[in-house]
C-alpha cells in the first residue's frame, strides 16, 4: 500500500491510499478517516459507497462527515466506485463503466475481467482495512444513489456483517429503473432472473426476519432523479411486507447533491453509532 495523501482533520487523520487489488485486477485508491485515538478500544468502521461519476474523494471533500466521526470515534472508509486504469473497459455514458461499477460482480464480456466491486467490498477491502489499521470488527455501511443501492445490497446479502445500514437517495429497485436496467444488461446480461440477486427490493422481500438490521433512508423531495430512478417508497413497501425496520424520511426541498448529504450526514453517523458503539 502507498500513502498518497495525509491531512490532519478534527484531531484525526484523513488519508488516501493506493493498493493493488487482486479481485479487481487493477490498482485502486481508497480514502480513510481515522478519528483521534481518544478511546481505549479500537474504533468501528463505517463504509461509505458513492454514486455515479464519483471517486473516493467526493464524500471526503464534500459531505463534512469528519467532525462528527471524530467526536464519535468512528473510522470512515471510502472506496472508489469502479475498477480503474487503462486496461479497464469503459463506456461513453457517465452511468456505465468507470465510475459506475454498481457494486456487483459482472458476468458479461468485456466487463467481467475487472468489474467485481461486490467481491472487492465484501472480502478484499475489509481484510485490507483489518490488517493495515487498528479497527474493531464492528462495521456499518452507508451510501448515496448508486452507492445507496450498494450499501443496501451489501447489508441484505451478508446477514450478520453490518450492525446497521443507511442511504441517501438510493437506487432501491435497479432491475426496474433506467440506470439499473442499462447497467445490469451490460454487466449481467439480458436474463433478468440473474438481476434479482442485486436488487434490494427483491432481496428484502426474500429476507429472513432474524437477519433484519436497523435501516435509515433519507430522500430529498426535490431530487431530479426521484420519480424515474429512485422511488424509495418501493423499498418501504417491501419493508412493510417483511417487517424490516426501515425508516424512510422524505426531506422537503432537498435535491440529489452533496449539499443534501452534508445536511443530514450527522444524523446518519449518530444513527450508526447507536449500534456500532454498543
Ligand atoms: N448530473 C450528473 C449525474 C450523476 C450524479 O448526479 N452523480 C451523483 C451521484 S448519482 C454525484 O454524487 N455526483 C458527484 C458529486 O456531486 O460530487 C452527471 O451527469 O454527471
Amino acid at each position: 500500500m502507498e500513502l498518497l495523501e495525509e491531512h490532519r482533520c478534527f484531531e484525526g487523520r484523513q488519508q488516501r491510499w493506493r493498493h493493488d487489488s487482486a479481485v479487481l485486477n487493477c490498482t485502486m485508491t481508497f480514502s480513510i478517516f481515522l478519528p483521534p485515538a481518544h478511546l481505549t478500544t479500537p474504533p468501528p468502521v463505517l463504509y461509505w459507497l458513492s454514486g455515479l461519476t464519483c471517486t473516493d474523494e467526493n464524500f471526503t471533500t464534500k459531505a463534512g462527515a469528519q467532525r462528527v466521526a471524530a467526536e464519535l470515534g468512528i473510522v470512515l472508509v471510502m472506496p472508489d466506485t469502479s475498477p480503474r486504469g487503462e486496461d479497464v473497459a469503459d463506456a461513453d455514458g457517465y452511468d456505465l463503466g468507470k465510475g459506475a461499477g454498481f457494486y456487483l460482480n459482472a458476468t458479461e464480456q468485456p466487463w467481467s475481467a475487472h468489474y467485481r466491486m461486490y467481491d472487492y467490498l465484501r472480502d478484499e477491502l475489509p481484510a485490507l482495512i483489518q490488517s493495515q489499521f487498528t479497527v474493531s470488527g464492528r462495521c456499518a455501511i452507508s451510501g448515496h444513489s448508486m452507492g445507496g443501492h450498494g450499501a443496501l445490497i451489501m447489508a441484505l446479502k451478508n446477514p450478520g456483517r453490518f450492525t446497521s445500514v443507511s442511504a441517501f437517495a438510493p437506487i432501491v429497485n435497479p432491475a426496474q429503473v433506467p440506470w439499473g436496467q442499462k447497467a445490469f444488461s451490460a454487466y449481467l446480461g439480458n436474463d433478468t432472473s440473474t438481476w434479482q440477486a442485486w436488487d434490494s427490493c427483491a432481496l428484502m422481500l426474500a429476507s429472513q426476519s432474524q437477519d433484519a438490521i436497523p435501516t435509515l433512508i433519507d430522500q430529498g423531495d426535490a431530487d431530479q432523479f426521484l420519480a424515474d430512478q429512485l422511488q424509495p417508497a418501493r423499498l418501504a413497501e417491501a419493508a412493510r411486507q417483511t417487517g424490516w425496520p426501515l425508516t424512510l424520511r422524505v426531506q422537503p426541498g432537498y435535491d440529489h447533491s452533496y449539499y443534501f448529504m452534508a445536511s443530514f450526514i450527522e444524523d446518519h453517523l449518530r444513527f450508526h453509532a447507536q449500534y456500532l458503539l454498543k
Side-chain angles (χ1 to χ4, degrees):
M1 289 223 302
E2 182 191 353
L3 183 62
L4 300 176
E5 275 186 51
E6 182 171 38
H7 309 277
R8 176 145 289 230
C9 185
F10 293 101
E11 302 299 316
R13 288 169 293 158
Q14 179 69 51
Q15 299 176 336
R16 191 168 197 226
W17 292 88
R18 180 189 287 146
H19 73 107
D20 290 327
S21 165
V23 168
L24 299 174
N25 192 19
C26 66
T27 300
M28 293 294 285
T29 56
F30 69 87
S31 289
I32 186 167
F33 174 71
L34 300 162
H38 61 276
L39 300 165
T40 47
T41 49
V45 180
L46 177 69
Y47 287 89
W48 172 268
L49 307 184
S50 288
L52 293 166
T53 75
C54 290
T55 67
D56 55 294
E57 290 194 293
N58 297 66
F59 181 80
T60 298
T61 56
K62 291 181 168 179
Q66 291 92 345
R67 178 180 60 81
V68 178
E71 177 205 314
L72 295 170
I74 295 175
V75 173
L76 305 174
V77 174
M78 282 68 63
D80 205 343
T81 56
S82 74
R84 299 285 180 179
E86 284 180 12
D87 299 342
V88 173
D90 202 2
D92 285 341
Y94 72 91
D95 50 3
L96 186 67
K98 291 180 196 172
F102 272 83
Y103 305 106
L104 48 70
N105 293 331
T107 53
E108 299 300 294
Q109 294 293 341
W111 310 104
S112 52
H114 297 278
Y115 284 74
R116 303 185 63 81
M117 287 299 287
Y118 178 74
D119 282 354
Y120 174 69
L121 288 172
R122 191 193 59 181
D123 303 326
E124 190 175 26
L125 186 63
L128 190 71
I129 299 299
Q130 286 283 339
S131 68
Q132 300 292 321
F133 301 92
T134 305
V135 295
S136 81
R138 291 180 80 75
C139 58
I141 192 160
S142 184
H144 172 228
S145 196
M146 175 184 74
H149 142 78
L152 289 164
I153 62 165
M154 287 300 300
L156 284 157
K157 288 166 82 70
N158 296 282
R161 167 73 73 97
F162 301 101
T163 58
S164 42
V165 56
S166 75
F168 292 82
I171 305 171
V172 300
N173 197 190
Q176 302 292 340
V177 302
W179 273 340
Q181 288 169 336
K182 177 174 175 179
F184 284 13
S185 28
Y187 297 143
L188 304 171
N190 292 324
D191 174 3
T192 56
S193 65
T194 65
W195 299 7
Q196 304 309 308
W198 307 101
D199 182 290
S200 49
C201 284
L203 289 165
M204 191 178 281
L205 286 170
S207 67
Q208 305 292 314
S209 58
Q210 72 269 17
D211 295 335
I213 55 171
T215 303
L216 172 65
I217 294 180
D218 270 317
Q219 172 66 59
D221 77 356
D223 185 324
Q224 65 270 40
F225 301 115
L226 176 54
D228 289 346
Q229 308 280 10
L230 304 174
Q231 301 188 21
R234 292 187 190 177
L235 193 68
E237 175 55 22
R240 193 192 62 76
Q241 287 181 31
T242 54
W244 188 281
L246 165 67
T247 302
L248 168 60
R249 308 191 306 187
V250 176
Q251 304 289 2
Y254 287 89
D255 64 19
H256 197 67
S257 71
Y258 268 91
Y259 296 106
F260 168 46
M261 283 171 277
S263 305
F264 295 101
I265 192 66
E266 177 167 356
D267 285 5
H268 285 239
L269 289 165
R270 294 193 189 283
F271 164 77
H272 289 294
Q274 293 173 71
Y275 310 104
L276 280 173
L277 302 172
K278 246 185 198 163

